PDB file of all heavy atoms in Angstrom:
ATOM      1  N   GLN A 114      -1.552 -81.560  -6.683  1.00 62.00           N
ATOM      2  CA  GLN A 114      -1.062 -80.187  -6.602  1.00 62.00           C
ATOM      3  C   GLN A 114      -2.192 -79.186  -6.801  1.00 62.00           C
ATOM      4  O   GLN A 114      -2.262 -78.168  -6.110  1.00 62.00           O
ATOM      5  CB  GLN A 114       0.032 -79.966  -7.651  1.00 62.00           C
ATOM      6  CG  GLN A 114       1.325 -80.717  -7.352  1.00 62.00           C
ATOM      7  CD  GLN A 114       2.344 -80.560  -8.458  1.00 62.00           C
ATOM      8  OE1 GLN A 114       2.013 -80.152  -9.572  1.00 62.00           O
ATOM      9  NE2 GLN A 114       3.591 -80.889  -8.169  1.00 62.00           N
ATOM     10  N   ALA A 115      -3.046 -79.490  -7.780  1.00 60.00           N
ATOM     11  CA  ALA A 115      -4.182 -78.600  -8.009  1.00 60.00           C
ATOM     12  C   ALA A 115      -5.090 -78.548  -6.781  1.00 60.00           C
ATOM     13  O   ALA A 115      -5.606 -77.489  -6.411  1.00 60.00           O
ATOM     14  CB  ALA A 115      -4.972 -79.062  -9.235  1.00 60.00           C
ATOM     15  N   GLY A 116      -5.263 -79.706  -6.152  1.00 60.00           N
ATOM     16  CA  GLY A 116      -6.075 -79.742  -4.941  1.00 60.00           C
ATOM     17  C   GLY A 116      -5.485 -78.912  -3.826  1.00 60.00           C
ATOM     18  O   GLY A 116      -6.185 -78.176  -3.128  1.00 60.00           O
ATOM     19  N   VAL A 117      -4.146 -79.015  -3.662  1.00 56.00           N
ATOM     20  CA  VAL A 117      -3.473 -78.219  -2.630  1.00 56.00           C
ATOM     21  C   VAL A 117      -3.623 -76.736  -2.931  1.00 56.00           C
ATOM     22  O   VAL A 117      -3.912 -75.929  -2.040  1.00 56.00           O
ATOM     23  CB  VAL A 117      -1.982 -78.603  -2.537  1.00 56.00           C
ATOM     24  CG1 VAL A 117      -1.233 -77.627  -1.646  1.00 56.00           C
ATOM     25  CG2 VAL A 117      -1.840 -80.017  -1.998  1.00 56.00           C
ATOM     26  N   SER A 118      -3.421 -76.359  -4.215  1.00 57.00           N
ATOM     27  CA  SER A 118      -3.565 -74.950  -4.599  1.00 57.00           C
ATOM     28  C   SER A 118      -4.984 -74.461  -4.325  1.00 57.00           C
ATOM     29  O   SER A 118      -5.190 -73.345  -3.843  1.00 57.00           O
ATOM     30  CB  SER A 118      -3.219 -74.766  -6.079  1.00 57.00           C
ATOM     31  OG  SER A 118      -1.886 -75.131  -6.338  1.00 57.00           O
ATOM     32  N   GLU A 119      -5.957 -75.320  -4.653  1.00 58.00           N
ATOM     33  CA  GLU A 119      -7.347 -74.947  -4.415  1.00 58.00           C
ATOM     34  C   GLU A 119      -7.622 -74.773  -2.937  1.00 58.00           C
ATOM     35  O   GLU A 119      -8.316 -73.848  -2.507  1.00 58.00           O
ATOM     36  CB  GLU A 119      -8.277 -76.000  -5.013  1.00 58.00           C
ATOM     37  CG  GLU A 119      -9.748 -75.635  -4.901  1.00 58.00           C
ATOM     38  CD  GLU A 119     -10.639 -76.681  -5.554  1.00 58.00           C
ATOM     39  OE1 GLU A 119     -10.085 -77.600  -6.186  1.00 58.00           O
ATOM     40  OE2 GLU A 119     -11.862 -76.558  -5.429  1.00 58.00           O
ATOM     41  N   MET A 120      -7.028 -75.682  -2.126  1.00 55.00           N
ATOM     42  CA  MET A 120      -7.205 -75.564  -0.676  1.00 55.00           C
ATOM     43  C   MET A 120      -6.577 -74.285  -0.160  1.00 55.00           C
ATOM     44  O   MET A 120      -7.137 -73.582   0.674  1.00 55.00           O
ATOM     45  CB  MET A 120      -6.592 -76.782   0.017  1.00 55.00           C
ATOM     46  CG  MET A 120      -7.347 -78.069  -0.204  1.00 55.00           C
ATOM     47  SD  MET A 120      -6.517 -79.475   0.570  1.00 55.00           S
ATOM     48  CE  MET A 120      -6.569 -78.981   2.291  1.00 55.00           C
ATOM     49  N   ARG A 121      -5.353 -73.968  -0.670  1.00 56.00           N
ATOM     50  CA  ARG A 121      -4.706 -72.728  -0.244  1.00 56.00           C
ATOM     51  C   ARG A 121      -5.558 -71.524  -0.630  1.00 56.00           C
ATOM     52  O   ARG A 121      -5.698 -70.583   0.153  1.00 56.00           O
ATOM     53  CB  ARG A 121      -3.330 -72.626  -0.886  1.00 56.00           C
ATOM     54  CG  ARG A 121      -2.314 -73.599  -0.296  1.00 56.00           C
ATOM     55  CD  ARG A 121      -0.994 -73.518  -1.037  1.00 56.00           C
ATOM     56  NE  ARG A 121       0.000 -74.406  -0.446  1.00 56.00           N
ATOM     57  CZ  ARG A 121       1.176 -74.661  -0.994  1.00 56.00           C
ATOM     58  NH1 ARG A 121       1.519 -74.092  -2.138  1.00 56.00           N
ATOM     59  NH2 ARG A 121       2.032 -75.480  -0.389  1.00 56.00           N
ATOM     60  N   GLY A 122      -6.089 -71.572  -1.857  1.00 57.00           N
ATOM     61  CA  GLY A 122      -6.954 -70.480  -2.280  1.00 57.00           C
ATOM     62  C   GLY A 122      -8.181 -70.360  -1.406  1.00 57.00           C
ATOM     63  O   GLY A 122      -8.607 -69.264  -1.059  1.00 57.00           O
ATOM     64  N   THR A 123      -8.734 -71.518  -1.006  1.00 57.00           N
ATOM     65  CA  THR A 123      -9.899 -71.508  -0.133  1.00 57.00           C
ATOM     66  C   THR A 123      -9.559 -70.917   1.221  1.00 57.00           C
ATOM     67  O   THR A 123     -10.300 -70.102   1.770  1.00 57.00           O
ATOM     68  CB  THR A 123     -10.445 -72.937   0.043  1.00 57.00           C
ATOM     69  OG1 THR A 123     -10.761 -73.471  -1.242  1.00 57.00           O
ATOM     70  CG2 THR A 123     -11.680 -72.942   0.924  1.00 57.00           C
ATOM     71  N   VAL A 124      -8.390 -71.322   1.760  1.00 57.00           N
ATOM     72  CA  VAL A 124      -7.966 -70.777   3.050  1.00 57.00           C
ATOM     73  C   VAL A 124      -7.768 -69.275   2.948  1.00 57.00           C
ATOM     74  O   VAL A 124      -8.188 -68.502   3.802  1.00 57.00           O
ATOM     75  CB  VAL A 124      -6.663 -71.465   3.520  1.00 57.00           C
ATOM     76  CG1 VAL A 124      -6.104 -70.755   4.739  1.00 57.00           C
ATOM     77  CG2 VAL A 124      -6.929 -72.924   3.843  1.00 57.00           C
ATOM     78  N   ALA A 125      -7.095 -68.840   1.854  1.00 58.00           N
ATOM     79  CA  ALA A 125      -6.858 -67.409   1.668  1.00 58.00           C
ATOM     80  C   ALA A 125      -8.182 -66.666   1.548  1.00 58.00           C
ATOM     81  O   ALA A 125      -8.350 -65.580   2.095  1.00 58.00           O
ATOM     82  CB  ALA A 125      -5.998 -67.182   0.439  1.00 58.00           C
ATOM     83  N   THR A 126      -9.139 -67.286   0.835  1.00 71.00           N
ATOM     84  CA  THR A 126     -10.432 -66.642   0.668  1.00 71.00           C
ATOM     85  C   THR A 126     -11.141 -66.494   2.003  1.00 71.00           C
ATOM     86  O   THR A 126     -11.719 -65.451   2.306  1.00 71.00           O
ATOM     87  CB  THR A 126     -11.303 -67.456  -0.311  1.00 71.00           C
ATOM     88  OG1 THR A 126     -10.632 -67.533  -1.563  1.00 71.00           O
ATOM     89  CG2 THR A 126     -12.652 -66.805  -0.494  1.00 71.00           C
ATOM     90  N   LYS A 127     -11.074 -67.519   2.834  1.00 68.00           N
ATOM     91  CA  LYS A 127     -11.708 -67.448   4.148  1.00 68.00           C
ATOM     92  C   LYS A 127     -11.045 -66.373   5.002  1.00 68.00           C
ATOM     93  O   LYS A 127     -11.725 -65.598   5.684  1.00 68.00           O
ATOM     94  CB  LYS A 127     -11.626 -68.809   4.841  1.00 68.00           C
ATOM     95  CG  LYS A 127     -12.541 -69.863   4.247  1.00 68.00           C
ATOM     96  CD  LYS A 127     -12.438 -71.172   5.006  1.00 68.00           C
ATOM     97  CE  LYS A 127     -13.384 -72.217   4.424  1.00 68.00           C
ATOM     98  NZ  LYS A 127     -13.280 -73.505   5.125  1.00 68.00           N
ATOM     99  N   ALA A 128      -9.711 -66.316   4.957  1.00 65.00           N
ATOM    100  CA  ALA A 128      -8.997 -65.292   5.719  1.00 65.00           C
ATOM    101  C   ALA A 128      -9.376 -63.902   5.222  1.00 65.00           C
ATOM    102  O   ALA A 128      -9.589 -62.973   6.015  1.00 65.00           O
ATOM    103  CB  ALA A 128      -7.492 -65.513   5.613  1.00 65.00           C
ATOM    104  N   ASP A 129      -9.473 -63.767   3.896  1.00 70.00           N
ATOM    105  CA  ASP A 129      -9.858 -62.465   3.332  1.00 70.00           C
ATOM    106  C   ASP A 129     -11.270 -62.088   3.767  1.00 70.00           C
ATOM    107  O   ASP A 129     -11.531 -60.927   4.105  1.00 70.00           O
ATOM    108  CB  ASP A 129      -9.780 -62.508   1.805  1.00 70.00           C
ATOM    109  CG  ASP A 129      -8.337 -62.552   1.308  1.00 70.00           C
ATOM    110  OD1 ASP A 129      -7.439 -62.218   2.104  1.00 70.00           O
ATOM    111  OD2 ASP A 129      -8.122 -62.937   0.143  1.00 70.00           O
TER     112      ASP A 129
END
Side-chain angles (χ1 to χ4, degrees):
Q114 291 176 344
V117 170
S118 299
E119 184 178 353
M120 290 177 62
R121 288 176 178 171
T123 302
V124 171
T126 300
K127 288 182 179 179
D129 289 343

